[in-house]
Amino acid sequence: MQPDEGSLRLDATHRAVVLLLIVVPTVLLVLGIYHGVLQALYRAGLIQSSTFLGIEYYQGLTLHGVINALVYTTFFEVAFGYVVVAYYLRCTFDARVTWLAFGLMSGGTLMAAWAMLGGSASVLYTFYPPLRANPLFYVGAALLVVGSWIPFFQWIPAYLRWRRAHPGQKTPIGVVGMLSTFTVWLIATLPLAYEVIVMLIPWSLGWTATVDVVLARTLFWFFGHPLVYFWLLPAYVMFYVMLPELAGGKLYSDDAGRLVFMLFIVLSAPVGLHHQFADPGISSGYKWLHGALTFLVALPSFITAFTLAASLEYAARAHGGSGLFAWWRRLPYWDADRYLFAYFFTGLVLFVFGGITGIINASTVMNNVVHNTAWIPGHFHTTIGGPVFLAFLGMSLFLVAQLTGRRVRYPRLNLWVPYLWTAGVAVFSVGLSVAGLLGEPRRTNLGPTYANPNSPLYHAGWRLWSDLGAIGGIVMGVAMLLFFVVFFGTLLGRRQQEPALALPTAEAYHDGPGRFVLNFRPWVVAAIVLLAIAYVPPIYEVVTGPTQGAPAYEPSSPVVAP
Ligand code: HAS
């Protein structure tokens, strides 16, 4: 079979790189998911030791967080960025530069994986000092980040060329979304680069004896919150560009989508202190400012909720839907040919709860109740584990099928994946959220202690909720098993047509002139100004404050004076 008219054949380099950027982290994901399921089992006391099959609890938790949240996402987003920019702008990129980016990203990942698997980097995905990792972990993380910057600097000239060649035309919204994603990423990773290169690498090499823990945490969260929107925005690209078309309708408002991406550029970063409400060394006024800005960064997601609901309603009514609510029945939930709809829709349903719990976290008062409890993983499995992960899984499969010219294997089984995953996350998150409200801590191996009836520390009140967490975790594991069968079955199947890309692309119902959202410049300037207001004073306070440098944590720490 020949590809459709309008479809795009990527050149050999970019086809190979995009496939590698998807397949390599999906293979690693097998390990990441396995350690996720184990976490739920430890929490419910079904594993009562500190190691399982040779991997220690915190080593496994580090592998789970780093592979799933940092490696899988970054690789996928670079792949998706190449696809979206090449497809909508019909441009090509320099193959040598692309291979360089891929080489740095994979080399860095291998270094970090070596350190984690060897047990010398059990510092979790936030690598807070004074936990200290093998230098290879930090160098690997730095290379992964630098490698992921390079494609952005290939896309910017392509975008500028397109604008010059198409004066007066709106840039395709998918490209706007991916450029916004990587603008957020660049802003986020600059403080991270400082933390890793200037503070952590010299410290881990023994060149400096101590590290400023408060500064490191502040720089980490300067990166860490925009990081969550770096994860979310490619999913929003899929929701705005593809979901309405998959539903059989139109995007309700094109300008709303563009405004959302621009708002994220401005508001993603100046909110990081909401992760540090409980930290000493930072005045409460700055924390309050970041808390207030956090409520503002929920605004683009509220706009998205209304725009997408309106787009879905338009599609359903166009296909005979009626009534105040009955039109929901007319959407293609079980159409195996439009499986992406199921992956996207289920993610959105989970995100309703991710959004509500996020807004609870953002309140300084409520945060005191939930901070560092099991509630927090309850929250982030309905955000990164909801709309983000499901959209990335569905799109990985879609791209692999198109770029290899294969048909998706086991299409009915594939349709079950998002529903089963969503059911699993729902049960898991309810379990962890309630347990968190009852005081159950996060990042703690409960197996030998709080979840063990033979331990004096046993906490019977958490039992039911941790058991629910384990049931949800197992269901999520089964969903992923099905996904791997479909994904690798497709990859290893027979080629049925020439490889070519054809992305579902919705027309807009309201397509305004978008005057204020055509250019990135004013939004980037606003982002820099707001960042200066929100971060210069607290960082000055941290740097000039009375905090003393801390030596690395050792198993014998803290040393109790005789
Ligand atoms: Fe968060 C902690 C606040 C969004 C991820 N967050 C985390 C952590 C992670 C994470 C990983 O203020 C843990 C970090 C760690 O390890 O310590 N978060 C928020 C707020 C939002 C938010 C206000 N988070 C996300 C997203 C993430 C993510 C997105 C990943 C992708 N979060 C916090 C705070 C903390 C935090 C504090 C620190 C807590 C602590 O104490 O440690 C907002 O952006 C959320 C806005 C979302 C909405 C929802 C819109 C709904 C939509 C769906 C529409 C559905 C449709 C379908 C149309 C307003 C778009 C139809 C639906 C039917 C039901 C039929």
Side-chain angles (χ1 to χ4, degrees):
M1 255 170 81
Q2 288 306 309
D4 299 340
E5 222 182 296
S7 61
L8 174 78
R9 284 176 192 220
L10 280 183
D11 61 84
T13 292
H14 288 89
R15 188 173 150 267
V17 168
V18 167
L19 282 172
L20 283 169
L21 284 167
I22 292 175
V23 174
V24 170
T26 307
V27 172
L28 286 176
L29 200 57
V30 176
L31 195 61
I33 292 290
Y34 162 75
H35 283 293
V37 176
L38 288 193
Q39 282 302 313
L41 302 185
Y42 276 114
R43 190 161 280 278
L46 295 169
I47 302 175
Q48 296 191 336
S49 57
S50 58
T51 57
F52 187 75
L53 294 183
I55 303 252
E56 191 267 334
Y57 173 84
Y58 285 106
Q59 190 184 2
L61 185 51
T62 305
L63 284 164
H64 174 59
V66 172
I67 292 175
N68 295 13
L70 299 181
V71 175
Y72 179 72
T73 52
T74 309
F75 273 60
F76 172 83
E77 293 186 42
V78 170
F80 187 57
Y82 275 123
V83 164
V84 167
V85 178
Y87 186 80
Y88 289 108
L89 301 188
R90 300 285 151 154
C91 57
T92 52
F93 312 105
D94 185 332
R96 287 161 308 176
V97 180
T98 305
W99 281 118
L100 174 69
F102 177 74
L104 288 175
M105 290 174 69
S106 3
T109 302
L110 281 177
M111 282 178 166
W114 187 85
M116 287 185 292
L117 288 168
S120 60
S122 300
V123 290
L124 310 187
Y125 89 105
T126 44
F127 44 87
Y128 291 146
L131 292 178
R132 188 167 63 181
N134 184 312
L136 280 183
F137 176 83
Y138 302 116
V139 175
L143 291 180
L144 172 63
V145 167
V146 172
S148 69
W149 284 341
I150 292 174
F152 186 36
F153 292 104
Q154 291 175 286
W155 304 336
I156 293 173
Y159 157 73
L160 294 174
R161 272 196 305 275
W162 188 92
R163 296 242 4 211
R164 276 194 299 275
H166 299 82
Q169 282 187 34
K170 280 175 155 181
T171 310
I173 187 170
V175 176
V176 172
M178 288 316 294
L179 293 179
S180 308
T181 306
F182 277 78
T183 305
V184 168
W185 182 235
L186 193 63
I187 293 175
T189 42
L190 292 175
L192 180 80
Y194 183 89
E195 184 202 355
V196 170
I197 296 169
V198 179
M199 299 174 73
L200 300 184
I201 293 179
W203 175 63
S204 67
L205 286 167
W207 298 345
T208 49
T210 60
V211 65
D212 183 337
V213 169
V214 180
L215 179 61
R217 287 171 68 93
T218 307
L219 293 173
F220 182 85
W221 286 116
F222 192 151
F223 154 77
H225 201 80
L227 168 71
V228 314
Y229 299 114
F230 170 68
W231 295 332
L232 185 67
L233 292 192
Y236 274 18
V237 168
M238 296 176 221
F239 299 158
Y240 278 102
V241 175
M242 302 173 190
L243 180 70
E245 170 72 11
L246 292 163
K250 292 185 179 180
L251 171 61
Y252 185 71
S253 164
D254 176 82
D255 285 354
R258 290 169 196 271
L259 176 66
V260 161
F261 290 121
M262 297 299 166
L263 284 174
F264 274 118
I265 292 180
V266 180
L267 295 167
S268 286
V271 296
L273 292 186
H274 70 221
H275 293 266
Q276 293 177 271
F277 285 152
D279 280 19
I282 302 169
S283 298
S284 52
Y286 303 135
K287 293 178 181 173
W288 180 89
L289 173 66
H290 282 231
L293 288 170
T294 307
F295 290 114
L296 263 189
V297 76
L299 183 68
S301 290
F302 277 119
I303 297 175
T304 302
F306 286 108
T307 311
L308 296 183
S311 308
L312 294 178
E313 179 172 359
Y314 176 86
R317 290 195 189 281
H319 292 84
S322 59
L324 193 55
F325 295 112
W327 57 267
W328 284 102
R329 288 207 302 262
R330 289 293 173 141
L331 293 170
Y333 304 105
W334 292 102
D335 183 341
D337 292 334
R338 284 187 276 175
Y339 61 89
L340 277 179
F341 179 87
Y343 278 88
F344 296 168
F345 182 81
T346 47
L348 284 168
V349 173
L350 284 175
F351 197 38
V352 171
F353 301 95
I356 294 170
T357 50
I359 290 165
I360 291 172
N361 298 344
S363 144
T364 41
V365 178
M366 306 282 260
N367 187 273
N368 277 328
V369 179
V370 297
H371 183 63
N372 272 344
T373 70
W375 168 279
I376 302 298
H379 161 66
F380 65 69
H381 282 84
T382 51
T383 52
I384 174 143
V388 174
F389 193 54
L390 282 165
F392 288 15
L393 287 182
M395 187 48 61
S396 299
L397 180 64
F398 184 83
L399 292 179
V400 161
Q402 290 208 337
L403 290 174
T404 58
R406 286 155 170 80
R407 260 201 214 114
V408 169
R409 292 286 290 279
Y410 317 116
R412 299 304 304 175
L413 197 66
N414 176 33
L415 213 43
W416 276 97
V417 172
Y419 293 107
L420 211 53
W421 175 264
T422 301
V425 172
V427 174
F428 172 85
S429 288
V430 166
L432 265 72
S433 302
V434 179
L437 291 177
L438 297 172
E440 188 183 278
R442 69 183 286 200
R443 295 180 155 178
T444 306
N445 182 1
L446 306 187
T449 53
Y450 303 111
N452 178 356
N454 301 321
S455 161
L457 295 169
Y458 180 60
H459 204 301
W462 297 341
R463 182 78 206 221
L464 167 67
W465 307 105
S466 300
D467 285 353
L468 268 188
I471 293 170
I474 291 168
V475 175
M476 289 156 78
V478 173
M480 283 309 293
L481 204 61
L482 301 188
F483 177 79
F484 290 133
V485 169
V486 175
F487 181 88
F488 291 109
T490 304
L491 184 67
L492 303 173
R494 238 171 8 100
R495 173 183 281 194
Q496 269 140 340
Q497 58 184 34
E498 281 301 305
L501 272 175
L503 302 182
T505 307
E507 278 176 48
Y509 179 67
H510 289 292
D511 196 0
R515 244 171 250 116
F516 301 107
V517 283
L518 288 182
N519 287 315
F520 283 92
R521 196 172 295 131
W523 301 91
V524 173
V525 171
I528 294 169
V529 171
L530 196 57
L531 269 176
I533 295 170
Y535 262 116
V536 171
I539 289 185
Y540 178 78
E541 181 180 49
V542 167
V543 173
T544 56
T547 337
Q548 291 180 357
Y553 169 84
E554 301 294 344
S556 53
S557 311
V559 178
V560 180

